Each structure stands twice: as structure tokens, then as C-alpha cells.
Amino acid sequence: DAGITQSPRHKVTETGTPVTLRCHQTENHRYMYWYRQDPGHGLRLIHYSYGVKDTDKGEVSDGYSVSRSKTEDFLLTLESATSSQTSVYFCAISETTGEQFFGPGTRLTVL
Amino acid sequence: GESVGLHLPTLSVQEGDNSIINCAYSNSASDYFIWYKQESGKGPQFIIDIRSNMDKRQGQRVTVLLNKTVKHLSLQIAATQPGDSAVYFCAENQGSARQLTFGSGTQLTVLP
């Protein structure tokens, strides 16, 4: 998985609780991305980062925030989880060539 | 809004046959396209890419064709093997941060 790890790999939580997912890379790539994947859908971009402390919203950013204090780490936070945020979350990284390399994913269930 | 889409949600082929997976895109400004393979329980895996200044690009057993006139992208897999069974996504690049927009995927099943 191109030096990308995600933690936790699985999480079950309750509605209204905060949740933070972590993406860690060892490739020193500039760009990092968070996607969600739901049945019948492709991957939809939540947020992305184009450098330390530089982030921007994607297609489905409502209810999510991100932070990137170091090149290697990109955190995705659900401030108050809802059942609609039950999904599989993927982190990806890229440099300037365009291709993105994906992590193994985190399966999140919100009860 | 403009989006990337796939013609068929499922495709079944006999082992050893060639597979063709199609993708339509509508953003004429997209300049970069990628095909990904995703096996069950795993993250998407890069297969091959192509830039808009090219019509064809070949890899190991895979070929991507780009027809900018009709905004169509296809992935050809030669001599399809059981290990090729997966969901295949096309994606197009939009924006300066190398953002990708993904299609909804095609499930390829290889029959023995």
C-alpha cells in the first residue's frame, strides 16, 4: 500500500460521539486525501491537503474536519458521528504526477 | 454537474478471453485519467494512467484507450485471469490539487 497506514482499521461507535481517523505515510508525498466509499458509489472526496496546514474541502465535506500538522500525518475528524457517516474511509497520497496511492481503509460503523 | 460514469455495472468473461471496461467522461478540461482495480476488502490499486495528449497506452496485459472526440475511456485486459476479478474504477483529474473524480465502478467476474 505504498507506505500508507490507516488507524484504526475498524471502529464501531455511537451516534453523537467524536471520532478521529489517522492516515500516516512514509513516502513524503505532498498531497493527501480522505475519501469515503459507500455501496453502489465510487470514492467521494471528503477533504484534501496540499501541504502542512493547507487543506481544502471536497465533494462531501459536511460533518467532517481535517488537520495536517506534519507531512506524514493527515487526520479526519467526525465531531459528532451520525449513522449516515457509516462507511469505509480511504486515505490516499500523491506527488505531482497525478496518480494517487491508497491506504487499506478504515471501516467505520456508527450505531 | 460534470462527472465520470461507467456504461455497465457488471461484466462477466471467460478465463482467457479479453475484457473491455468502458467509461464516459463529460469534463472536456480533464487532462489526466486513471484506472484502478479494487479487490474485496482492499484499497484501490493503480493499474494504468493516460494523459490527454495520448490516445493509447499499454501496460502489462492492459491497454487504456482515450477517445477525446466522444469523451470515452476504455480499459482492455488481455487473457483475463481469475485474479483479475475485482471492481474497476476510472477516474479523471480535475483541479490544480490533482483531485480525482471517480466513476461508480464495474464489477468484473472471470468465469472458469
Side-chain angles (χ1 to χ4, degrees), chain B residues 2 7 10 27 34 44 54 75 87 95 99-101 104-105 107:
Chain B
E2 295 181 310
H7 294 311
T10 62
N27 187 346
I34 306 179
M54 304 171 67
L75 176 70
V87 177
Q99 297 178 63
L100 294 176
T101 299
S104 56
Q107 173 71 58

Side-chain angles (χ1 to χ4, degrees), chain B residues 30-66:
Chain B
S30 293
D31 60 357
Y32 179 67
F33 303 87
I34 306 179
W35 281 100
Y36 284 93
K37 171 187 180 183
Q38 187 176 26
E39 297 174 285
S40 181
K42 297 184 179 180
Q45 178 185 6
F46 173 87
I47 301 174
I48 192 168
D49 59 359
I50 189 168
R51 298 194 180 277
S52 59
N53 61 352
M54 304 171 67
D55 297 323
K56 179 180 180 179
R57 192 169 187 212
Q58 290 184 294
Q60 186 178 7
R61 281 201 307 118
V62 294
T63 301
V64 56
L65 300 177
L66 176 62

